Amino acid sequence: MKRGFSLLELLIVLAILGLLLGLGVPSFLRWRAQAELDEAARALAQAFQYARAEAKRANAEGCVRVWREGFAIGARCDTLSASTHRFSQVEVSESNYSSFPPLDVTFKPPYGTTDAPLKKFTLRHTRYSQLTRNVHVIGVIGKVVVR
């Protein structure tokens, strides 16, 4: 009775493993890119919600300044000169305002309202450009929606 595998059996197993890896790795990389994009969109939405809550709580303005590569949160927009929260493999590719980048979203007390009807930010993955996520700050009420 022989023990072990023949060379042919080993090559067949390696070929099957190579085929499975070849099919699985691109799907995994795309899934990971989508997760990075979702994480960046959630972080930006949370920054808007935090600035809005702080404007209501402290009865003072709250600001989020958005650049292509990230954003910064502060009490006043003119003090924010660089992004403190940077995106990983994601950039803000466009906005519905022509003054982009940077673009300021200011929340005013006492209700955390904004000065614009709608501010829309489109986040795009740098490697997979077809993957996008939109973050909207809706109207005067300052509601944040991620699509």
Side-chain angles (χ1 to χ4, degrees):
M1 184 168 170
K2 288 173 62 175
R3 292 185 174 241
F5 298 106
S6 70
L7 182 60
L8 181 60
E9 292 170 333
L10 189 60
L11 289 175
I12 290 173
V13 168
L14 287 176
I16 292 172
L17 284 175
L19 180 65
L20 291 175
L21 282 174
L23 294 174
V25 168
S27 296
F28 174 76
L29 292 176
R30 185 174 168 83
W31 171 80
R32 184 66 191 127
Q34 185 67 49
E36 288 172 345
L37 186 63
D38 291 342
E39 181 182 339
R42 276 193 301 274
L44 184 58
Q46 287 174 350
F48 290 135
Q49 291 168 347
Y50 175 78
R52 182 174 182 237
E54 281 298 302
K56 290 162 79 175
R57 184 191 66 78
N59 202 25
E61 283 190 4
C63 177
V64 178
R65 181 172 272 189
V66 181
W67 289 270
R68 290 202 186 280
E69 70 280 350
F71 61 91
I73 307 169
R76 294 182 39 216
C77 291
D78 56 357
T79 62
L80 303 173
S81 59
S83 62
T84 55
H85 299 81
R86 296 183 65 87
F87 301 130
S88 172
Q89 299 285 325
V90 174
E91 69 178 11
V92 180
S93 63
E94 61 186 69
S95 174
N96 61 338
Y97 281 82
S98 61
S99 65
F100 184 72
L103 182 66
D104 300 334
V105 179
T106 303
F107 296 93
K108 303 193 182 308
Y111 303 112
T113 58
T114 62
D115 56 351
L118 170 69
K119 292 194 177 179
K120 175 184 170 187
F121 300 91
T122 301
L123 280 71
R124 187 176 310 278
H125 197 273
T126 54
R127 177 180 255 168
Y128 299 94
S129 60
Q130 70 275 16
L131 294 178
T132 61
R133 188 67 76 222
N134 292 317
V135 179
H136 300 217
V137 180
I138 298 176
V140 176
I141 59 172
K143 181 179 178 184
V144 181
V145 177
V146 177
R147 295 182 186 200

